[in-house]
Amino acid sequence: MPKFCNASKQLPVGAECRAQFEHIFCSADRLTDTFSGCQSIVNKSLSEQEQCSKCAYQKADNSWVMRWFDSLGKPAAGITEGNYYWLGDYELCTVLRDEKSFDGQYCRIEMEVPDAGVESGCPQTDPLSIILGVCFPAACSVQDLAKVSGLYLPYNLKVECESQGRWSAITILLLVLFAVWLVPQAVSTIQPHLNDSVLHCFSISENAKRTFSTRRDSPHLHVVHGLEFLLFFTIVCGMVYNFMLPYIENVAFSFEGVSSLSMHIVNNYSYQIDGLLALSAFYTTYMLFGTVPTVRSALESVAQRLARFWPAYIFCVIFMYTVFPGVSSGPMWIHTDTVNRCEGGWWKNLLFINNWFNVTDTCVDLGYVISLEAQYFLILILFIYLSSKFVMITQIVVYLIFGSSIVFSFVRAYRQDLPPAPMLTLEPEPLEKIYAVYDQLMLSLFARSSSYCLGFIFGIGCATASEDLRKMGLRYRWHAILAVACIASGIFPFVGAFPYSAWNWSSNFRFMNALYAAFHRPMWSFSLLSFVYLCHHGAFKWINALLEWRAFTPLSKVTWVALVVAEPIILYFFSSLNKPAYATHWSTLYTAISAALLSYMIAIFLDIFVTRPIRYLIYPEQMHRYAQAHTQEQQRAAAV
């Protein structure tokens, strides 16, 4: 048997780290020595019974090292389906640490093995990424472990280890502050007679009534709320399909779905976000058109929108930064990348400017969408204000921005040979090109402004629509033409990029890729908005009735917060597992339904316990306005 002990003493690491490696491999030498009768400790002065007893003690003292070797990652079944996650036994590493047998920390080594060394003649040059779990000494730094791993593994590699301290002092402080924040809410709920004071803003029961209220601010266009729910669920399905890739053992499942047209809606889902942006612009314009005559009223609209969303968003960003990395543990629960990004990027999220930086320079992945929405909203309020004075000029400017945005996207995508959208493809694109799509198009305020422009245009169209025209439905010829355009423009975003993902249309179809990159987002937004416009004008009555279901009203109030919350929920579902999951179509759907349901539940919780108390402290008249409206509704119902 090889002598590990002497070799471990020569490792180029720190003294404490080296001592723990010696503990492992010297114990291994002593254990193997017991298999041959403990020849290294033979003492002729001892009797045979004493020698045997001493050898037994040596075996018992060093038998832990067998469990250490057993904890190491090994090739598992399903390699041909993409199971390159050889995670080992995380619990065994934890048991050794708890027993004081070995002070270990669970780490993962990500090795990049060139395909040429795995399968000769393989045309793909991307390296094969293998994840190997190892119970390394706790005294070793990541840099030390990378050195040791590099001595024996001839590949490019990266080492990540679980965090030793799950809860930092800042995390504990924030949790204590949140507990203190809940005290006045509990008092105001238990003692309702105190609600004549400022404590009324904290009443859980009153705030819950307002959150779950189905009362509507407008008698029309409630179809928007149903569409927002459908778009949200589609986005969550797409997030699950894409986020689960590093956490499933049959990675081939995701890439097999690339060739399926039915799975393309979750593979290429990013344009659904533009649909949400368009509906937001549309409904805001419809509700505020003609009600923002002064600069002061415009600023008040911005401040009220900020009070409705910012408190919950701050909570989500701080949670991802301080709390989320420590809420679980396991072989796949290593979120050092999230922590590193949040350390330098949390303030960019809170100031709604993280889309001005790289896609990797953000704390919450979908935070760039929130920043885009916030920046667009500021511009939208400006246009609504200007439209009250210069309606025609404002609309001409918006049309110019709309057209320029599409041209800008096409030119940038064509010149840089960008993929048409971020999605999985039959032949994986280099990661640099995916990042380029985000940085050059997805995060660009100007490149994605076309959808918001359409929302403004359609919002004015519905706000100024005549009652006679609203009753005609599809009998009006132009409405029928718009219905055909609605269907046609909705099909293109769905199927337009399928050849690129399933048939490897890349460099040979540069023009088509750029065309899709420029047009699919505004076309999808046009399809949604024209559908809403037609519903408002008497068409699609049965679909309109379904989407106007009152249950969608409270959900629409928290859709943007739920979208932010969905990311950590999906990550928790997969990374808290101790073994990679086996993905199927049904498991993907179940996970998406669960993630969407929990996202809305947590968003509603944040609305009741965080957002509304702060909002009513700033605007106490809004609480009284709701109470007055509720009383008037009850009086009308009693009169009937």
Side-chain angles (χ1 to χ4, degrees):
M1 298 293 289
K3 295 296 182 181
F4 297 120
C5 191
N6 290 334
S8 63
K9 295 178 181 180
Q10 307 302 319
L11 293 175
V13 294
E16 292 186 14
C17 178
R18 189 184 305 112
Q20 289 194 342
F21 271 114
E22 290 177 22
H23 180 49
I24 298 172
F25 295 114
C26 293
S27 293
D29 282 346
R30 287 192 288 269
L31 181 64
T32 55
D33 185 45
T34 62
F35 299 151
S36 58
C38 299
Q39 295 298 319
S40 64
I41 59 170
V42 171
N43 190 340
K44 295 182 179 180
S45 63
L46 298 176
S47 66
E48 182 177 348
Q49 183 178 1
E50 292 174 329
Q51 185 71 34
C52 183
S53 176
K54 190 174 183 180
C55 188
Y57 276 114
Q58 178 173 315
K59 182 176 182 181
D61 291 342
N62 296 282
S63 61
W64 67 268
V65 81
M66 294 184 64
R67 289 186 292 164
W68 181 86
F69 277 108
D70 189 32
S71 73
L72 301 180
K74 309 167 190 67
I79 293 177
T80 56
E81 288 190 325
N83 187 10
Y84 304 125
Y85 301 97
W86 308 340
L87 299 176
D89 196 322
Y90 174 86
E91 290 82 3
L92 203 49
C93 182
T94 304
V95 168
L96 290 174
R97 183 171 62 240
D98 294 341
E99 292 177 351
K100 309 297 183 183
S101 299
F102 172 68
D103 186 15
Q105 60 176 334
Y106 183 85
C107 302
R108 293 197 312 242
I109 304 174
E110 182 176 351
M111 301 178 290
E112 294 185 353
V113 183
D115 273 3
V118 177
E119 183 179 345
S120 59
C122 179
Q124 185 162 328
T125 58
D126 293 343
L128 177 66
S129 182
I130 295 178
I131 308 296
L132 181 67
V134 182
C135 188
F136 274 130
C140 300
S141 65
V142 171
Q143 293 76 16
D144 287 337
L145 299 177
K147 287 181 184 178
V148 174
S149 303
L151 294 175
Y152 303 101
L153 298 173
Y155 308 113
N156 293 328
L157 53 87
K158 181 177 71 172
V159 178
E160 289 184 314
C161 297
E162 64 175 339
S163 175
Q164 293 299 312
R166 291 182 58 186
W167 301 108
S168 65
I170 296 178
T171 302
I172 296 174
L173 176 62
L174 291 173
L175 291 175
V176 171
L177 290 176
F178 184 69
V180 172
W181 172 258
L182 294 178
V183 171
Q185 301 187 43
V187 172
S188 64
T189 304
I190 297 172
Q191 301 289 337
H193 65 276
L194 300 175
N195 285 350
D196 292 335
S197 64
V198 72
L199 283 176
H200 189 47
C201 300
F202 293 92
S203 174
I204 297 174
S205 57
E206 293 298 321
N207 289 337
K209 287 179 183 178
R210 288 157 176 76
T211 297
F212 288 104
S213 172
T214 59
R215 186 177 63 85
R216 294 159 169 176
D217 296 329
S218 169
H220 305 298
L221 291 173
H222 307 136
V223 65
V224 172
H225 302 152
L227 287 175
E228 284 180 342
F229 172 80
L230 294 179
L231 289 174
F232 169 79
F233 182 69
T234 305
I235 293 169
V236 170
C237 289
M239 292 169 66
V240 169
Y241 182 78
N242 286 269
F243 283 15
M244 72 180 181
L245 195 58
Y247 304 106
I248 58 176
E249 64 179 43
N250 56 329
V251 178
F253 167 80
S254 294
F255 288 95
E256 287 170 359
V258 165
S259 303
S260 170
L261 184 61
S262 61
M263 294 294 290
H264 189 64
I265 191 172
V266 292
N267 184 20
N268 177 24
Y269 72 96
S270 63
Y271 62 88
Q272 307 289 348
I273 297 173
D274 294 81
L276 272 182
L277 292 171
L279 290 178
S280 175
F282 169 81
Y283 200 67
T284 302
T285 303
Y286 176 79
M287 296 297 295
L288 297 183
F289 182 73
T291 65
V292 189
T294 63
V295 174
R296 181 177 180 179
S297 60
L299 294 176
E300 286 179 354
S301 298
V302 173
Q304 289 184 16
R305 183 65 167 267
L306 194 64
R308 288 172 179 266
F309 177 78
W310 206 29
Y313 186 54
I314 291 175
F315 185 95
C316 293
V317 173
I318 293 177
F319 176 86
M320 284 295 292
Y321 179 25
T322 61
V323 181
F324 181 73
V327 296
S328 187
S329 61
M332 295 190 291
W333 189 270
I334 298 178
H335 293 287
T336 52
D337 180 58
T338 300
V339 174
N340 292 336
R341 287 191 288 122
C342 284
E343 283 180 349
W346 62 270
W347 60 274
K348 300 169 188 173
N349 285 78
L350 296 186
L351 295 179
F352 305 114
I353 59 172
N354 60 308
N355 63 306
W356 298 353
F357 302 87
N358 295 332
V359 66
T360 56
D361 194 14
T362 182
C363 184
V364 182
D365 284 343
L366 281 179
Y368 76 90
V369 178
I370 304 301
S371 297
L372 286 172
E373 162 67 12
Q375 294 163 28
Y376 286 142
F377 183 80
L378 283 175
I379 300 171
L380 179 67
I381 293 297
L382 174 62
F383 282 137
I384 293 174
Y385 164 70
L386 293 175
S387 64
S388 63
K389 303 179 183 300
F390 315 102
V391 179
M392 187 60 66
I393 296 176
T394 304
Q395 291 190 60
I396 292 174
V397 170
V398 172
Y399 275 112
L400 290 175
I401 295 174
F402 169 75
S404 301
S405 171
I406 295 175
V407 173
F408 175 80
S409 299
F410 175 82
V411 172
R412 178 169 279 189
Y414 184 80
R415 285 184 175 177
Q416 301 187 30
D417 193 17
L418 298 176
M423 68 186 86
L424 295 176
T425 55
L426 193 63
E427 180 73 17
E429 290 283 3
L431 197 58
E432 293 76 15
K433 294 194 74 172
I434 302 299
Y435 286 160
V437 173
Y438 277 97
D439 293 337
Q440 301 300 320
L441 296 180
M442 305 283 289
L443 274 66
S444 172
L445 185 68
F446 187 56
R448 295 188 77 167
S449 62
S450 56
S451 296
Y452 229 77
C453 291
L454 282 174
F456 174 78
I457 294 167
F458 274 88
I460 290 182
C462 285
T464 57
S466 66
E467 287 297 322
D468 293 336
L469 191 61
R470 288 191 57 239
K471 298 176 182 178
M472 296 187 66
L474 295 179
R475 292 173 297 166
Y476 185 50
R477 183 182 61 180
W478 289 107
H479 286 175
I481 295 174
L482 183 61
V484 174
C486 168
I487 297 172
S489 60
I491 293 174
F492 175 73
F494 176 65
V495 301
F498 182 70
Y500 168 81
S501 64
W503 303 335
N504 195 26
W505 280 17
S506 54
S507 57
N508 297 331
F509 295 88
R510 185 172 179 175
F511 178 83
M512 293 299 298
N513 291 340
L515 201 67
Y516 183 85
F519 279 94
H520 76 288
R521 301 181 191 282
M523 288 185 70
W524 177 246
S525 300
F526 175 83
S527 178
L528 288 174
L529 294 170
S530 56
F531 173 77
V532 173
Y533 180 88
L534 290 171
C535 288
H536 185 60
H537 286 77
F540 309 124
K541 290 185 178 180
W542 67 273
I543 302 178
N544 186 33
L546 291 175
L547 294 175
E548 283 190 337
W549 186 31
R550 280 187 174 270
F552 294 133
T553 302
L555 296 180
S556 69
K557 301 173 187 176
V558 295
T559 294
W560 286 104
V561 176
L563 195 63
V564 177
V565 170
E567 177 193 344
I569 287 177
I570 295 170
L571 288 177
Y572 182 86
F573 278 171
F574 289 110
S575 59
S576 62
L577 299 174
N578 280 10
K579 300 292 181 185
Y582 189 89
T584 63
H585 294 298
W586 282 112
S587 68
T588 304
L589 181 61
Y590 294 155
T591 305
I593 294 173
S594 302
L597 180 61
L598 278 176
S599 297
Y600 271 123
M601 290 175 63
I602 294 175
I604 289 172
F605 172 86
L606 292 176
D607 190 60
I608 295 172
F609 289 93
V610 178
T611 302
R612 287 191 180 270
I614 295 176
R615 176 180 160 194
Y616 293 145
L617 285 172
I618 301 172
Y619 299 105
E621 69 278 2
Q622 292 190 2
M623 175 175 283
H624 301 310
R625 184 182 64 187
Y626 174 88
Q628 292 171 359
H630 184 65
T631 303
Q632 291 173 0
E633 285 185 357
Q634 290 180 331
Q635 292 174 350
R636 284 196 296 267
V640 173

